[in-house]
Amino acid sequence: MLSLRDHRTDARRLTLRALPAVLAAVALLVTPWTSPAASAHGSTADPVSRNYGCWQRWGNDFQNPAMEQEDPMCWQAWQWDTNAMWNWNGLYREGTGGDFQAFIPDNQLCSAGHTGDGRYNSMDNPGPWKTSGIGANFTVDVLDQALHGADYLQVYVTRQGYNAETDALDWGDLELRATTGTYAPASHYLVNVSAPGRSGHHVVYTIWKASHADQIYFFCSDVTF
Ligand SMILES: [Cu+2]
């Protein structure tokens, strides 16, 4: 039989042995909510982008198994890489020299050409993404948390006949509907867009050239006209 003293020693050893695992668990719990603030960038707030929308809807509830049925595209995105969700504001590509089409092949438009070591690849998958309802004339609102400014914004909209549920986005699926000039640093950049002759599920593809660096953001937003 163990004496009382032995019991205590064993308990202490067990605690020490478990400490690294406990610390790792705490770090996992804390990291998700601290990392987004550490790197402020931006995304399309309206109509909300795929990554920003999945973070808004599920960021506080990302382990809820109901997501698989209620919001399957967000579910697959969370399963692919939670860092794409915590870093919903970091979907950009650097070093293109402005020639972004050369760096972003067809079927990879929503991940900015598998940027960030493939972190955002789940954004490319076609399917029943949640959509925002819009009319033929709408306003795109880009959120700039870091006050980078904008050299320009471009807004593309998919052509009528494109099937967002089955077809990953290609450059040929898109029609350029708005190009802007520069914006001084601000929290929100608004772009008025007209995209007549469309119905059903479409994708609004917004490109934001930040002014502080060779850094271009690419956002897919699902809409219903
Ligand atoms: Cu930034």
Side-chain angles (χ1 to χ4, degrees):
M1 267 187 73
L2 291 164
S3 70
L4 185 62
R5 185 153 176 265
D6 287 339
H7 258 299
R8 277 191 187 140
T9 308
D10 276 4
R12 206 177 305 137
R13 278 204 196 116
L14 201 70
T15 305
L16 280 173
R17 230 177 286 136
L19 192 61
V22 170
L23 285 176
V26 169
L28 268 177
L29 284 171
V30 170
T31 302
W33 283 278
T34 53
S35 52
S39 61
H41 304 286
S43 194
T44 304
D46 187 30
V48 72
S49 66
R50 288 179 174 176
N51 43 319
Y52 193 19
C54 287
W55 179 81
Q56 283 182 344
R57 290 195 293 278
W58 299 99
N60 290 328
D61 197 19
F62 70 101
Q63 287 168 320
N64 185 344
M67 191 195 328
E68 187 172 9
Q69 294 298 317
E70 291 175 17
D71 200 345
M73 298 317 289
C74 285
W75 171 259
Q76 60 92 36
W78 280 97
Q79 298 300 308
W80 173 255
D81 190 342
T82 52
N83 283 323
M85 304 283 89
W86 307 130
N87 295 283
W88 56 267
N89 53 11
L91 212 175
Y92 59 78
R93 192 159 186 115
E94 292 186 311
T96 69
D99 187 14
F100 48 81
Q101 288 207 18
F103 289 78
I104 302 180
D106 284 346
N107 301 311
Q108 298 180 17
L109 271 63
C110 298
S111 68
H114 293 177
T115 198
D117 294 325
R119 175 190 279 176
Y120 300 95
N121 289 9
S122 60
M123 300 295 115
D124 289 322
N125 294 332
W129 293 92
K130 298 286 184 191
T131 63
S132 306
I134 60 172
N137 298 301
F138 60 99
T139 302
V140 169
D141 176 0
V142 171
L143 167 65
D144 178 1
Q145 299 174 303
L147 305 181
H148 287 322
D151 287 348
Y152 60 82
L153 288 149
Q154 288 186 343
V155 180
Y156 296 73
V157 183
T158 47
R159 302 171 193 280
Q160 184 63 18
Y162 169 72
N163 189 335
E165 311 267 325
T166 60
D167 184 11
L169 201 56
D170 296 345
W171 288 107
D173 296 324
L174 294 171
E175 191 179 12
L176 180 61
R177 297 302 307 175
T179 302
T180 77
T182 61
Y183 289 75
S187 303
H188 291 271
Y189 308 126
L190 303 178
V191 186
N192 292 322
V193 183
S194 172
R198 289 165 171 81
S199 60
H201 184 173
H202 279 265
V203 177
V204 174
Y205 192 56
T206 302
I207 298 179
W208 165 34
K209 168 63 181 69
S211 296
H212 69 304
D214 185 355
Q215 184 177 80
I216 311 182
Y217 293 75
F218 301 87
F219 308 127
C220 284
S221 301
D222 292 271
V223 297
T224 300
F225 282 98

